[in-house]
Amino acid sequence: DARVTQTPRHKVTEMGQEVTMRCQPILGHNTVFWYRQTMMQGLELLAYFRNRAPLDDSGMPKDRFSAEMPDATLATLKIQPSEPRDSAVYFCASRGGGNTGELFFGEGSRLTVL
Amino acid sequence: TQLLEQSPQFLSIQEGENLTVYCNSSSVFSSLQWYRQEPGEGPVLLVTVVTGGEVKKLKRLTFQFGDARKDSSLHITAAQTGDTGLYLCAGALGNQGGKLIFGQGTELSVKP
């Protein structure tokens, strides 16, 4: 049963700490998205990759956020240092095929920064 | 900044009623998708519309893509309690590598 896997599911940390979230896209999917979801802003696109190359990371605060795809089976989103306003649910999604294809979402990583 | 305005944000209705959710933008999209999200889970695709004016039906759900490919609507006929959830529209920007941006979502509650 192919699915997108995200870890951790929940993370509570203190302000200033580094947070790394990981995502395993569906095997064979060549496009990976990172979104952040909050009640106020909804689902915001942070960054996305095609064939491991970053296409757009304009939605990401550059000074503290970084996203990478070390290989085709792993995408990472790092926050350093974390701040309380980063508290949100972070979703990874992958897509195979063309631009109109379905996005398959992971279950999300719920981050709380105290 | 591309923006997708979704309305209403919240909707509470009785079982059996009809409803329509709207998704509007000033941007032209190569395709538009509707997702549904349940608490604690990621969004799941309901439908993709690609052609201006296209109408798709999924049982009691009817989706329409505007002629100019800037707006869309979701109509639910005879809502059921199982329709409760967060409905999200998402537009794909074809000239930006299929970048997909989401509306704010419509939180639907269907009461028995």
Side-chain angles (χ1 to χ4, degrees):
Chain A
D1 188 25
R3 56 179 174 166
V4 175
T5 304
Q6 288 187 248
T7 56
R9 289 294 314 276
H10 302 273
K11 175 76 175 178
V12 180
T13 190
E14 293 194 344
M15 183 173 63
Q17 296 297 305
E18 177 179 305
V19 175
T20 298
M21 288 168 274
R22 294 177 173 81
C23 167
Q24 181 176 349
I26 291 174
L27 191 64
H29 281 191
N30 64 348
T31 308
V32 175
F33 297 79
W34 281 107
Y35 289 91
R36 174 171 64 183
Q37 188 173 40
T38 61
M39 285 292 292
M40 292 298 293
Q41 302 295 331
L43 262 174
E44 299 175 276
L45 177 63
L46 297 174
Y48 69 110
F49 296 77
R50 175 167 294 164
N51 298 322
R52 294 177 55 203
L55 283 190
D56 189 331
D57 61 1
S58 58
M60 214 162 59
K62 297 291 189 307
D63 55 339
R64 299 183 299 108
F65 284 59
S66 61
E68 294 180 345
M69 279 201 74
D71 61 63
T73 64
L74 176 64
T76 62
L77 180 66
K78 188 178 295 187
I79 308 174
Q80 166 65 14
S82 58
E83 297 181 2
R85 59 180 166 154
D86 301 329
S87 297
V89 181
Y90 290 80
F91 284 101
C92 173
S94 71
R95 182 175 69 195
N99 293 343
T100 61
E102 176 178 1
L103 254 63
F104 291 84
F105 282 81
E107 292 182 301
S109 294
R110 180 176 292 276
L111 173 66
T112 302
V113 183
L114 303 174
Chain B
T1 304
Q2 298 91 5
L3 204 61
L4 263 176
E5 299 283 348
Q6 202 172 327
S7 63
Q9 267 192 281
F10 301 95
L11 194 52
S12 181
I13 60 172
Q14 295 295 128
E15 200 168 27
E17 292 183 5
N18 301 333
L19 67 115
T20 303
V21 177
Y22 299 93
C23 184
N24 295 290
S25 177
S26 57
S27 299
V28 176
F29 298 106
S30 58
S31 65
L32 196 133
Q33 297 177 325
W34 285 89
Y35 288 78
R36 182 175 163 212
Q37 185 179 18
E38 305 218 19
E41 299 180 6
V44 175
L45 181 71
L46 294 173
V47 79
T48 301
V49 285
V50 179
T51 307
E54 183 175 0
V55 176
K56 277 192 175 177
K57 293 197 174 192
L58 193 68
K59 296 183 181 177
R60 294 175 294 101
L61 277 60
T62 301
F63 305 85
Q64 185 161 10
F65 201 10
D67 291 341
R69 306 206 317 273
K70 294 181 178 182
D71 54 85
S72 181
S73 63
L74 156 61
H75 182 78
I76 302 180
T77 304
Q80 300 176 354
T81 56
D83 294 329
T84 293
L86 179 66
Y87 290 82
L88 296 152
C89 63
L93 296 161
N95 61 351
Q96 295 186 41
K99 179 176 179 177
L100 198 68
I101 59 170
F102 279 81
Q104 286 277 77
T106 295
E107 187 72 58
L108 172 65
S109 174
V110 182
K111 302 188 184 313

